[in-house]
Amino acid sequence: MLNFDPVHYIDVESGAAALAAPIRAAIGERLAAGATNIFFAGSGGVAFLALPAARLLQTSSTFPTFTEMGAELIVQGNVNLGAGSIVIAPSVSGTTKEAIATLEYAQSKGATVITLTGTAGTPLAEKADINLQNDCADDTSSENYLLQTLLIALSIMDARGEIADYDRIVAELSTLPELLVAAKEQFDPRAAELAQEMAEEQNHIITSAGGSWFEAAYYGMCILEEMQWIWTRPVHASDFFHGTLELVEEDTSVILLKGEGETRELTDRVEAFVPTVSKKLRIIDSKNFELAGISDDVRALISPIVFAAVLERLSAHLEVVRDHPLTTRRYYRRVSY
């Protein structure tokens, strides 16, 4: 596969899966000490990667769960943030200014900050109350953080007796790295075709629902916009028919991520409508990937992870056909703002 090292990839994602026990211990300790709520408070694109786990807790657990943009939390505050709070702060670099400021603000309120870092020896790793470390970079970070934060949510539900089969689910998750490589291999030819189709297109709508919606939003903002300078409109599938459908014309590109689980019917509606107008509906369906040994309930949980894995293949081909390296920036970390 183009610009892909499967051995390295499996090593990184296996490292994320191996954090299941440390995560369970850290979360269990905080809950035993009387933790009253959890905040997922990231900065930038990596913040999206924690939101499927937050959504899982909000829909399947009674443990109070909050999501915050770190910079906004600092200037606006939240009355629920305090000594009983667990704050989850993911970061690949461990040096993002907003993330460091969020960590310091949360600690000033008495919260326990758990950082998930992709780089050792960084401010976010060293300033944290608890640091969970797994080396990763942009091309492996999405799956890494989606998996780690899912393990955090599962640990909370397990400790509170809100899930009966934690061990079985985690055992299945431990097999994911190799399965994701297989999914990448399956999708790679289609990724190459899509990259050719999209090479000269400058406008897209990307949509999904459930936990997969956050991966759609992430891919639109952080990859197509930031890394390829392509105008992209992420919209939740449930909102597609509340405004965005008026933008659909014969040549409108709509990228639809169809995940699994209860919210799939929301993406079914988009799939039914768009072809009545546009000739450019691009569907990526997680059901099309075998994922041998993964139960249906776990497949629903990991749809965002599957999309992150296969969309990396699209990114790899896009940078080649567009002659635009994914690392090229005009402003980010290049100018003051």
Side-chain angles (χ1 to χ4, degrees), residues 158-203:
D158 175 54
R160 292 169 56 82
E162 295 171 329
I163 189 169
D165 44 7
Y166 170 90
D167 290 333
R168 190 242 331 154
I169 293 172
V170 171
E172 291 187 21
L173 293 177
S174 70
T175 70
L176 262 186
E178 290 83 359
L179 297 176
L180 294 176
V181 171
K184 285 173 177 284
E185 290 174 341
Q186 177 183 334
F187 187 70
D188 195 59
R190 178 58 179 146
E193 293 174 359
L194 274 176
Q196 290 290 344
E197 293 173 14
M198 296 168 58
E200 303 301 324
E201 295 177 348
Q202 272 299 116
N203 294 278

Side-chain angles (χ1 to χ4, degrees), residues 97-294:
K97 289 187 293 185
E98 294 96 328
I100 296 169
T102 301
L103 175 149
E104 293 173 344
Y105 176 80
Q107 288 178 331
S108 76
K109 297 295 182 179
T112 297
V113 179
I114 300 176
T115 58
L116 312 175
T117 55
T119 309
T122 56
L124 276 179
E126 295 177 349
K127 290 175 177 285
D129 297 294
I130 301 169
N131 174 243
L132 297 166
Q133 167 69 32
N134 186 47
D135 288 348
C136 65
D138 285 343
D139 59 345
T140 54
S141 63
S142 292
E143 300 93 303
N144 172 74
Y145 288 121
L146 287 165
L147 181 52
Q148 287 185 47
T149 51
L150 173 58
L151 290 168
I152 288 171
L154 292 172
S155 294
I156 290 173
M157 294 168 66
D158 175 54
R160 292 169 56 82
E162 295 171 329
I163 189 169
D165 44 7
Y166 170 90
D167 290 333
R168 190 242 331 154
I169 293 172
V170 171
E172 291 187 21
L173 293 177
S174 70
T175 70
L176 262 186
E178 290 83 359
L179 297 176
L180 294 176
V181 171
K184 285 173 177 284
E185 290 174 341
Q186 177 183 334
F187 187 70
D188 195 59
R190 178 58 179 146
E193 293 174 359
L194 274 176
Q196 290 290 344
E197 293 173 14
M198 296 168 58
E200 303 301 324
E201 295 177 348
Q202 272 299 116
N203 294 278
H204 300 275
I205 296 169
I206 187 167
T207 184
S208 191
S212 299
W213 152 242
F214 303 109
E215 175 59 26
Y218 170 87
Y219 194 77
M221 185 182 84
C222 297
I223 308 301
L224 295 181
E225 291 188 337
E226 179 181 338
M227 297 185 181
Q228 286 296 298
W229 305 349
I230 296 172
W231 288 83
T232 307
R233 166 77 160 97
V235 59
H236 195 288
S238 67
D239 284 335
F240 193 92
F241 298 94
H242 295 275
T244 301
L245 82 166
E246 294 296 338
L247 298 177
V248 180
E249 299 179 348
E250 185 179 33
D251 63 346
T252 302
S253 171
V254 178
I255 302 169
L256 173 62
L257 306 185
K258 292 200 68 176
E260 298 169 60
E262 302 91 340
T263 60
R264 187 175 172 89
E265 64 185 66
L266 301 176
T267 57
D268 287 340
R269 292 195 307 160
V270 177
E271 181 180 12
F273 168 75
V274 173
T276 67
V277 181
S278 174
K279 296 179 180 179
K280 291 185 178 180
L281 173 62
R282 282 84 180 240
I283 299 173
I284 304 174
D285 190 338
S286 65
K287 274 193 173 182
N288 291 336
F289 301 100
E290 181 182 1
L291 306 177
I294 303 296

